Amino acid sequence: MFDKTTWIRLPRNVVVGHGVLSETTDAIAELHLGGRPLVVTSPTAREVAGERVVADFADGGTEPATVVVERASFGAVERVIETARETEAGFLVGVGGGKPIDIAKMASDSLDMGFVSVPTAASHDGIVSGRGSVPEGDSRHSVAAEPPLAVVADTEIIADAPWELTTAGCADIISNYTAVRDWQLANRLQNVEYSEYAGALSQMTAEMLVDNADSIKRGLEESAWVVVKALVSSGVAMSIAGSSRPASGAEHLFSHQLDRIAPGAALHGHQVGVGSILTEYLHSGEAGRWKNIRDALAGLGAPTAAAELGIDETAIVEALTTAHAIRDRYTILGNGMNESAAREVATTTGVIGGK
Ligand SMILES: [Zn+2]
């Protein structure tokens, strides 16, 4: 008997382009959400985009509530939840870089409310996916919630964000290569369900980004376009898979460990990029394409070594030897690396020990 079922949750409206911030309220109106909007933003993003969104809502006859969050923390999520209740909000609009969006996403998950993503930077694929996490003590609190109902990404605004945020977004996409390899490995060794379609889409997204690397340059608005489209397509791959597997393998586990060992030292995307060099080497050794990954990152101006991340070498080795244990996700790290093996792969790939 055929009894397979699948449930794919995708954003309904994805609006990307020059000046599209002014279309935010239209993109939201089409969703037929009830109630008052609560705009979740950060001090900088409020100036750059949040105030304009609030004003556009007001022009249309809706008075949104606003909450400004300074940093990603569990307390900030709680504060957004309280504000949503006090202001009788009907849905949440996250306006900002990664943090306000992660916070809004997590709050909307607990509130069981709709969520719209208005990124002002293209720093990681969380702007279009359901995944979100904020630090809590020395660990992270994560959710695997639904993706945003709509994404409005104004390339004019995103192109103005600090350049390293864009290179971090690129590196997060390049890490799809190793994420897919880990997923295939888990499928072969552990019978983890693999989706050919989601795997191929994720891999193709990374390839297209690398092929278009020439149009990814500081000061070019086209960069924002290429990166946002790739982040959207990564998000779609995760929606199809119903998990973060297409975009998150051992390189992400490594990065989560770095977040614990050296909190705030480097951007998520930059950490997973370096992680991808290391885990690609573990997959296929010296002859493999770890050098292609390293060169692609270097070409975009993303870090390829510990020193560029601002993370010391012992932290890299510690992250490599402990990453396998932090979540039940089978990857090339298997049951874990010992210290000398970790030191060797990090040295051979030039991640530690200078060049
Ligand atoms: Zn990521």
Side-chain angles (χ1 to χ4, degrees), residues 52-92:
R52 277 165 62 198
V53 173
V54 169
D56 286 349
F57 271 123
D59 285 350
T62 326
E63 208 57 58
T66 305
V67 55
V68 178
V69 290
E70 304 264 350
R71 67 185 56 162
S73 67
F74 208 59
V77 177
E78 289 295 324
R79 200 153 62 80
V80 171
I81 293 172
E82 272 164 37
T83 314
R85 290 194 176 125
E86 279 162 17
T87 58
E88 292 174 7
F91 62 94
L92 271 55

Side-chain angles (χ1 to χ4, degrees), residues 125 172 252 268:
D125 56 24
D172 205 7
H252 271 71
H268 166 82

Side-chain angles (χ1 to χ4, degrees), residues 1-316:
M1 196 189 96
F2 184 84
D3 62 354
K4 271 176 109 169
T5 64
T6 183
W7 194 336
I8 298 173
R9 289 180 153 116
L10 294 158
R12 158 106 176 243
N13 288 328
V14 176
V15 189
V16 183
H18 182 88
V20 297
L21 185 71
S22 62
E23 291 169 44
T24 308
T25 49
D26 289 344
I28 292 173
E30 277 211 347
L31 303 170
H32 308 295
L33 294 165
R36 192 178 178 196
L38 172 61
V39 174
V40 181
T41 189
S42 64
T44 322
R46 182 186 200 171
E47 264 174 53
V48 175
E51 275 167 6
R52 277 165 62 198
V53 173
V54 169
D56 286 349
F57 271 123
D59 285 350
T62 326
E63 208 57 58
T66 305
V67 55
V68 178
V69 290
E70 304 264 350
R71 67 185 56 162
S73 67
F74 208 59
V77 177
E78 289 295 324
R79 200 153 62 80
V80 171
I81 293 172
E82 272 164 37
T83 314
R85 290 194 176 125
E86 279 162 17
T87 58
E88 292 174 7
F91 62 94
L92 271 55
V93 183
V95 181
K99 285 171 204 139
I101 289 179
D102 271 353
I103 291 167
K105 187 189 292 174
M106 296 187 70
S108 71
D109 189 56
S110 337
L111 290 158
D112 206 11
M113 270 180 197
F115 158 68
V116 172
S117 172
V118 184
T120 56
S123 57
H124 60 77
D125 56 24
I127 61 174
V128 278
S129 78
R131 280 182 311 141
S133 74
V134 297
E136 192 187 4
D138 67 348
S139 70
R140 290 187 87 78
H141 192 90
S142 305
V143 286
E146 296 167 41
L149 296 169
V151 181
V152 181
D154 189 326
T155 50
E156 190 180 12
I157 293 170
I158 291 170
D160 254 359
W163 178 241
E164 64 269 22
L165 297 177
T166 306
T167 64
C170 292
D172 205 7
I173 293 158
I174 289 172
S175 82
N176 287 6
Y177 279 126
T178 46
V180 172
R181 271 175 154 307
D182 279 324
W183 192 16
Q184 290 167 335
L185 182 76
N187 172 253
R188 289 194 294 267
L189 294 181
Q190 304 279 309
N191 220 18
V192 166
E193 198 181 340
Y194 178 73
S195 154
E196 291 283 351
Y197 183 19
L201 178 59
S202 173
Q203 213 166 348
M204 185 187 77
T205 303
E207 263 149 37
M208 283 177 66
L209 185 95
V210 171
D211 290 347
N212 284 298
D214 286 351
S215 55
I216 304 172
K217 286 199 177 77
R218 195 192 290 259
L220 267 192
E221 188 173 337
E222 199 185 343
S223 312
W225 171 263
V226 173
V227 181
V228 169
K229 297 274 277 189
L231 294 173
V232 169
S233 133
S234 260
V236 170
M238 288 188 263
S239 288
I240 292 167
S243 87
S244 60
R245 270 284 190 185
S248 172
E251 74 297 321
H252 271 71
L253 299 179
F254 166 78
S255 167
H256 296 327
Q257 277 308 76
L258 288 180
D259 288 339
R260 288 183 188 178
I261 301 163
L267 293 166
H268 166 82
H270 290 163
Q271 292 179 172
V272 300
V274 170
S276 218
I277 299 174
L278 295 163
T279 62
E280 177 59 38
Y281 186 90
L282 294 177
H283 272 288
S284 49
E286 182 58 38
R289 60 178 173 181
W290 67 272
K291 284 180 184 156
N292 302 12
I293 291 179
R294 181 199 59 191
D295 295 348
L297 292 169
L300 292 160
T304 58
E308 291 167 327
L309 289 174
I311 290 176
D312 66 45
E313 301 190 345
T314 18
I316 298 285

Side-chain angles (χ1 to χ4, degrees), residues 333-354:
L333 295 172
N335 294 326
M337 298 185 75
N338 69 21
E339 200 190 316
S340 68
R343 199 166 280 284
E344 194 173 318
V345 61
T347 309
T348 313
T349 52
V351 169
I352 67 174

